[in-house]
Structure formats: C-alpha cells, structure tokens
Amino acid sequence: MSGKGTNGTAKGSGPDAVRRSELIRNVALVGHSGAGKTILLEAILASTGAITRMGTIADGTTVSDSDPAAVHQQRSVALSLAPVMSGEVKVNLLDTPGYADFVGELRAGLRAADGALFVVSAAEDIDAATVALWNECERVGMPRAVVLSKLDHPRADYQAALARCQDAFGESVLPLYVPVTHDGALVGLLGLLTRTVSDYSDETGPGGQPEMRSAREEELAGWDEVRGALIEGIIAESEDETLMDRYLGGEDIGLETIIGDLEKAVARGSFFPVVPTSALAGSGSTGSTGSGSSGVGTAEVLEVLRRGFPSPAERGLPAVTDLEGTPVKGLRCDPEGPLVGEVVRTTVDPFLGRVCLVRVFSGTLREETPVHVAGHGLAERGHPDHDADERLGHLYTPFGSTLQAAPYAVAGDLCAVARLSAETGDTLSARDAPMLVAPWDMPEPLMPVAVEAASHGDEDALAKSLAKVAAGDPTLRVERNAETHQLVLWCMGEAHADVVLDRLREQGVKLQTVDVVTPLRETFAAAAAGHGRHVKQSGGHGQYAICDIEVEPLERGAGFEFVDRVVGGVIPRTFIESVEKGVRAQMAKGVAEGFPVVDIRVTLVGGKTHSVDSSDAAFQAAGALALREAAAAGRIQLLEPVSSVTVSVPDEHVGTVMSDLSSRRGRVTGTTSGGDLTDISAEVPDAELLRYAVELRGLTAGTGTFRREYLRHDPVTR
C-alpha cells in the first residue's frame, strides 16, 4: 500500500479457490443507501476483468443487485458476494444494503468480513446511521477504510467531504490519495506518499490498469501540508516509539518503513486511509453506467484491501462452544483445524433448493463431507433449535446470483452449499465434534404486517413459502396471534415488508394484507347480576338448569375469581363446577365485541335443579347465559394492551420524540442520559405503535431506535 496505485490485478483471473488463509481478504462494503457501493463494486469487477461491462441499478444488471426485490426497489436489499483476484490474493467483496430496514443483511455481512470499506458520497452529508455503524466497528476493533465516492457528481466537493469524514469518524481518517483533475474532470489520483499519479484518462497500463507517472509540479502544489499530516499520522501509530522524535528532528524516514507502519496500523484498526473514487469517470467515460470504464480509484481501493486489510488468519474467531455450552478453546483460522463454519445467508434457488452462504472459520469444507448442522437461540423468531447430521453436496463460489463449482473452501473463505437443511445463523461442524458459534446481534423486528391467504386453498402454499422465506431472514418474526388468530409478520419496516411479500408472491402464493387487529380484552366496569335459565323439554330426558350470579370488577391483572355462595344445597357441588366451566367458556368468547373477559369476580348466589333433567352440559349453558345477561344489564369496558417503551435518540431529538409520544396517548415516565444518546421511557398503547418503527425513523433522521415489552391492559381512551 504505497500510494502508487499498482495492485497487480490479474485481469480475467476469476475467483479462484485458494489453499492458504493468508491469501484471502473478506471485506464488507457499507454505507448509506445511495452512497454508491453497488456501482463501486461494478467498477472494481470491471477493472479486474471479472465482468466485461458495468451493469446499471436501473436495469437490474449489476452483479450484486440481481435479486428481483432489489430491481423492484432500485436499491440493495440483500447481502451479495463477488470475489475478485488481486494478484495472488482473493478478495471477497460483500455488498451490504444501506437502507435501515435491511440491517440484518448488513450485520450478516460484517459477521462474514474481517474489515469494512465505508463508502461515503462526496456529494452528500454523512448520516447518523453511518456514524453509528462506524462506532460499532470501532468497539470491536474492525479495520476500516473510507472511499469517497461520486467525485464526478456536480455537487461533489472533495475537501468538504474529507472534512465531514474526519469530523464524523475522527482524526485518524487521513487521505492516502487525492484527486487529480483536468478541465474540471477527475482523471486520476495522486499518491501522497510516493508523489506519483495514477492516470485514468487513458488506461494504457498493464492489464488495463491506469498509467503510472511522476506527478507534475502543478499536481503537487498545495498538498505538502496534507502529505506531512499523513506521514505524521502514520508515524504516530508506529510500534517504534523513537520514530516520531527522529522524524521531527529532521531525519528522512524511509518510504518502506512508513508504508510498513501504515499497513500494520490499518490492519489493527487504528488508522483509516481515505481513497477518492468515481466509478463512472476515467477511460473517457461519458458518465453513464454501462460503459466499459473501470472508474477512477478502483486500483487504489484494491491495493488498500490487499495490502492493508488483514487476512482471516490475523483476526480472531467468534465465541464457539460445544452443544452443552462449554467454551471451546484454542480454535484459530487454520485449514487443518477442526471444522467450524457459519451460515451467514440463506436463499432458495428454483433448481438447487436452499442455498447457504457459509463463512468457514476453521478447517476446510469439502464436497461429500459429513457435517453436523446446529442452530440455537432464535426460537422466538420462528427458528426452532435443531441438531442434525447431514452430508454436504456440491460446493460453489458465489458471484452475485451465479454459482461456480468449487472443490473446497479453506478456513477464512466463503462458499455456497446447496440442499442443506441449515438456516441463517446455523453452525456447520464435524459430525464427530459438533460445535456452536455464538449468534451475532440481530435487531428486533417491531412493525407488524397481518397477511392472509387469498383463498382456503392457498393456506398450505402460504405456510410452506413463509417457512422458506423465514429460514433465510432472522430479522423476520412469524407469529400466529392466539387471541386475534391473525398471521402476523413482524418486519423491520415497510421496505422489509415489501421484500418479504414480493418473495412470497414470487413463489406463487396468493395473499393479501389486512389491518392488524389489536388484541383487546373486555371487563365489567361496574357490578351486575345475571340470571341463567336453560330449560328445554323435547321428549325423553330434557335439560334443566337455572343459576343466578353476581359479577363485579377486579383490579387490573387480578385475573378471574369464582365464588360459591349457594346455601341450602339448591345446586349440587358437581353442578357448581359446571356453572364455573360455562362462565369461563363464555369469558374466552367475550360478552360484547368478542374479546376475552378478564379481571372479574363471579359469585354464584342461587339456582334450581331438576332430579332428572339437570346435567353438567345444562349448567354449563346456564352459566354462560347468566354471564351474557349480566353483561347486557351492566356496563362493559374495553381494555387495550399497553407496552413499556424505551426510545434511544440523540439529544437533539429528545423534545420531538417526547412530544410525539404524548400525541400517541403515551405517558413519559422518565429519561436517562448516557453519552450522545438519551433513553426515553414511556407507556404507550400498542395500537399507537403499529407503524412506530417507520415513523420514529422519520422523526429522528434514522437515528432513533426503540424496544418494547408488554406491560398490561388498560381501559381504552380515544
């Protein structure tokens, strides 16, 4: 990583299988939706000869956005892998969605990666979600680099964009290259360390790479201070504590020493180089995607990834246990070690069936190998715990939506496996030594969408297709509500819901969305009396049961009490229990609007029996009728579920969020400040939270998050 732009890319070499973990780089492209990740990936693929022509997002012809849902929404909706060869190094590029609804796919990409390439548009501000993601990577020490994209955009401002990056990400974000322009157009990059220019105006270098030349005086003008800051920043990260004193003392530090320290600092996640790019500029491109241009900065980006980012062998493994939960020690990224892999994404291919994208952490995955498939910890989202022994079929190297046969995948590499029962988050390990990788953090889906089959005949198809979709999407929670009997899909937001519904319809499922029914309950607002008379004579044994009850409300959450105050034995003990059964059955059905009745005391005060015609069934019917009559004579109160809600927002949005919660009939119970975020605690009716996941995002420019937990049922107030 010298700043001279040569990356040794072998044009047309393709995503070969590698035998050594040291020759692999796993890199997640992250950034806000629309920042240019997908087109940057297209430019890199074109520059390496992996594709002959750049695709377009509008046409759905890019490598990483071939998913029909992505074409429909005109943005990335799923994690996609596109490996390229840079010299002997295989670079697995993981394109992640930037829209908040698909954060589950983003987290899967980060789990599979050993470094993150933050793509930031030079024409736009940096959103708070990107800053939060940067801080998250900071906490785990993940190596990062910054790509300033869209420098060809009319509103692009390199200096302003760099300043925004440094303000958002910190002082260790420093440019390794700066743009070179001609007549206002971006034509190349100046390597600050070597003072050489990679000229993209006419790609005449080896393998179609930019021409390398010494910088002209006018191209160097004005960059001395920036170059000095870069060198000082690199030296400050050096493990040689004497280097800074020597540099400040006037000693000329050798370029090899500086580059060596730079690569070490990038790999350990303490220094973050900035590379300016334009995927649509260079090679005489007219600025439209679909040209054969590789774009300005692609060679430099690959060089940073190849030389600066760590190999899987340099990164630790996630926590691993045996099936009993005992930690497994001593595992490392070793192709000869015990087999441990994790499914980071699951799709359904119409010909191959279920296809699992696997990150191999230890050992080597080979065809026809017996493996143990284990999944734990996501049962509440419709992914039951399971353990199964299976045999691998064919292995593949994914390239977007296409699959290329692969003989093996060593520790640190990524591959696809078809026809496994595994789901996203499952662990693959040796059959004789089963293990379990600790699951990564997944956000809770908080927006409900109720669906129903278009006809009775479509119900089986809906259930089967929903199981397939849910198997690959741990951010989707499927619930059959026991009270409303609705099938509810809990999603991350509207865009996520649209993708789920599109995928169900692609499989031929005819369905429709309906309004989500809030599971209300009923109770008595005041005491009431009821008379239950069930008397029928129809030949033979008749039915005879009469009971009188008194109903009174209890405190919220008290449940149900049944009191026997019958005197004189007018109702035998066995029939008293029958009256209670009848009352309970009617409570479950409701007495006003069909919602369950709760928090009441029913007292049996009298009744009559017949020596021949009285029976258990008759007194059950009488008890139910008595409760209905008491309800008709009294006053019924509807109760709605209320949740305890905690909203986390930056301080500048606290007032707006608190005001909005009040407008939702919420009651703010307190605030807690910590760092740059404030937690707002409130009690809010569930009916006001159906779209809160979407609306909170709009109120806080995407920075707000919330969690909720059922609290109690309160009287409906509208």
Side-chain angles (χ1 to χ4, degrees):
M1 190 163 57
S2 61
K4 57 186 179 182
T6 56
N7 64 11
T9 301
K11 189 170 183 178
S13 58
D16 300 331
V18 294
R19 296 182 180 275
R20 294 166 48 202
S21 303
E22 293 81 4
L23 297 178
I24 298 171
R25 303 290 183 271
N26 296 312
V27 182
L29 277 65
V30 301
H32 183 62
S33 182
K37 301 182 296 296
T38 297
I39 293 303
L40 173 65
L41 177 57
E42 287 289 300
I44 292 174
L45 297 178
S47 75
T48 61
I51 58 176
T52 58
R53 186 177 181 84
M54 289 175 60
T56 68
I57 294 174
D59 294 338
T61 53
T62 63
V63 170
S64 59
D65 278 357
S66 56
D67 188 310
V71 176
H72 173 69
Q73 293 204 15
Q74 294 288 285
R75 59 184 165 204
S76 300
V77 301
L79 175 67
S80 183
L81 171 64
V84 297
M85 297 302 295
S86 178
E88 294 182 337
V89 175
K90 179 183 181 183
V91 182
N92 287 318
L93 295 168
L94 294 145
D95 189 14
T96 69
Y99 194 64
D101 278 19
F102 309 109
V103 64
E105 300 283 337
L106 165 64
R107 292 186 182 278
L110 291 174
R111 177 61 161 236
D114 301 302
L117 193 64
F118 276 72
V119 181
V120 177
S121 170
E124 299 169 9
D125 289 335
I126 300 173
D127 68 304
T130 302
V131 177
L133 180 59
W134 179 278
N135 294 334
E136 187 176 323
C137 291
E138 181 82 28
R139 286 192 292 272
V140 298
M142 176 170 278
R144 283 146 285 158
V146 177
V147 166
L148 282 179
S149 64
K150 298 187 178 182
L151 281 174
D152 57 301
H153 195 281
R155 295 199 310 271
D157 185 331
Y158 169 76
Q159 295 285 13
L162 177 62
R164 288 194 295 267
C165 288
Q166 292 173 333
D167 182 60
F169 304 145
E171 296 179 354
S172 294
V173 175
L174 291 170
L176 191 58
Y177 303 90
V178 294
V180 174
T181 59
H182 180 68
D183 292 336
L186 180 67
V187 296
L189 299 182
L190 166 65
L192 290 175
L193 293 181
T194 59
R195 295 189 176 97
T196 57
V197 170
S198 48
D199 192 335
Y200 284 82
S201 60
D202 183 17
E203 290 189 12
T204 58
Q209 295 303 301
E211 177 187 3
M212 303 305 303
R213 59 175 174 79
S214 298
R216 305 184 184 102
E217 286 298 323
E218 63 272 18
E219 294 168 338
L220 292 171
W223 295 116
D224 285 345
E225 184 176 343
V226 176
R227 183 177 188 269
L230 170 64
I231 294 175
E232 288 186 18
I234 295 171
I235 292 176
E237 297 294 334
S238 175
E239 296 175 354
D240 185 349
E241 297 180 357
T242 68
L243 202 58
M244 181 62 78
D245 291 336
R246 289 158 49 196
Y247 173 73
L248 295 177
E251 182 178 335
D252 185 15
I253 307 299
L255 192 58
E256 289 187 3
T257 299
I258 294 175
I259 292 173
D261 285 338
L262 167 64
E263 293 172 355
K264 292 176 183 177
V266 172
R268 67 172 175 260
S270 60
F271 185 88
F272 316 105
V274 179
V275 182
T277 66
S278 170
L280 308 182
S283 296
S285 169
T286 60
S288 63
T289 56
S291 84
S293 168
S294 63
V296 173
T298 53
E300 289 72 20
V301 169
L302 274 175
E303 185 182 34
V304 168
L305 302 183
R306 180 172 62 91
R307 297 185 58 180
F309 273 37
S311 72
E314 299 173 73
R315 297 282 293 171
L317 272 64
V320 180
T321 67
D322 61 20
L323 299 187
E324 285 70 44
T326 303
V328 178
K329 303 294 186 181
L331 288 177
R332 58 191 181 90
C333 183
D334 180 4
E336 303 300 322
L339 178 62
V340 180
E342 185 175 30
V343 178
V344 294
R345 185 163 191 258
T346 309
T347 57
V348 177
D349 184 275
F351 303 104
L352 295 175
R354 187 175 295 181
V355 178
C356 299
L357 178 62
V358 179
R359 163 69 193 258
V360 184
F361 287 110
S362 174
T364 299
L365 211 57
R366 301 182 187 278
E367 294 183 346
E368 301 301 323
T369 302
V371 297
H372 184 82
V373 180
H376 297 274
L378 290 174
E380 72 281 0
R381 298 198 184 186
H383 304 267
D385 292 354
H386 58 274
D387 295 289
D389 290 331
E390 300 184 43
R391 181 176 293 274
L392 296 180
H394 294 299
L395 300 185
Y396 303 92
T397 295
F399 188 77
S401 62
T402 64
L403 299 174
Q404 174 183 320
Y408 55 83
V410 300
D413 209 349
L414 290 152
C415 70
V417 183
R419 297 189 175 93
L420 274 183
S421 68
E423 301 180 355
T424 301
D426 283 359
T427 300
L428 305 185
S429 54
R431 184 179 293 180
D432 57 352
M435 290 182 246
L436 200 61
V437 179
W440 63 85
D441 290 336
M442 278 293 180
E444 184 71 18
L446 294 168
M447 194 190 86
V449 178
V451 299
E452 60 183 30
S455 67
H456 181 72
D458 293 313
E459 290 180 355
D460 286 345
L462 174 59
K464 292 177 181 177
S465 296
L466 192 53
K468 293 178 182 178
V469 172
D473 189 351
T475 60
L476 173 67
R477 178 159 54 90
V478 182
E479 174 191 41
R480 175 70 73 174
N481 191 287
E483 295 185 29
T484 66
H485 307 293
Q486 283 191 309
L487 178 61
V488 180
L489 311 181
W490 288 88
C491 304
M492 298 300 300
E494 288 180 322
H496 183 212
D498 287 344
V499 168
V500 171
L501 296 176
D502 283 349
R503 287 179 176 157
L504 290 172
R505 291 175 176 132
E506 286 167 14
Q507 297 180 41
V509 177
K510 296 179 181 179
L511 56 80
Q512 57 195 16
T513 59
V514 294
D515 291 339
V516 176
V517 176
T518 302
L520 303 180
R521 294 176 185 171
E522 301 170 355
T523 193
F524 281 69
H531 176 70
R533 175 183 172 85
H534 183 74
V535 178
K536 292 185 179 180
Q537 295 293 334
S538 57
H541 283 301
Q543 299 180 48
Y544 189 97
I546 298 175
C547 65
D548 293 294
I549 63 172
E550 294 176 352
V551 184
E552 55 188 312
L554 297 177
E555 293 181 356
R556 292 293 154 264
F560 170 63
E561 294 180 16
F562 185 83
V563 180
D564 171 22
R565 288 188 183 166
V566 173
V567 295
V570 295
I571 300 179
R573 170 60 54 188
T574 55
F575 293 153
I576 291 174
E577 294 177 357
S578 300
V579 173
E580 181 179 354
K581 288 180 183 178
V583 169
R584 286 183 179 273
Q586 189 63 52
M587 288 175 63
K589 295 177 182 177
V591 293
E593 298 189 25
F595 297 107
V597 179
V598 296
D599 301 337
I600 61 172
R601 177 187 293 120
V602 174
T603 303
L604 180 61
V605 295
K608 295 181 181 180
T609 62
H610 189 279
S611 60
V612 175
D613 294 339
S614 290
S615 65
D616 171 66
F619 270 97
Q620 285 193 44
L625 180 59
L627 186 65
R628 292 200 300 271
E629 289 203 359
R635 185 161 57 91
I636 299 302
Q637 172 71 62
L638 289 179
L639 304 176
E640 63 180 341
V642 175
S643 287
S644 172
V645 175
T646 302
V647 187
S648 297
V649 293
D651 294 344
E652 62 265 28
H653 296 296
V654 169
T656 301
V657 170
M658 291 178 68
S659 176
D660 178 71
L661 288 171
S662 297
S663 73
R664 296 175 185 273
R665 299 184 290 130
R667 184 173 69 89
V668 176
T669 59
T671 60
T672 305
S673 297
D676 296 329
L677 295 177
T678 295
D679 286 347
I680 305 169
S681 301
E683 297 176 358
V684 186
D686 283 11
E688 304 290 344
L689 296 173
L690 298 179
R691 290 179 47 80
Y692 193 57
V694 177
E695 291 158 351
L696 176 64
R697 195 178 298 156
L699 284 172
T700 63
T703 61
T705 61
F706 78 104
R707 57 187 184 273
R708 59 186 287 185
E709 183 177 358
Y710 169 75
L711 190 61
R712 61 179 179 271
H713 273 68
D714 278 349
V716 173
T717 57
R718 297 187 185 280

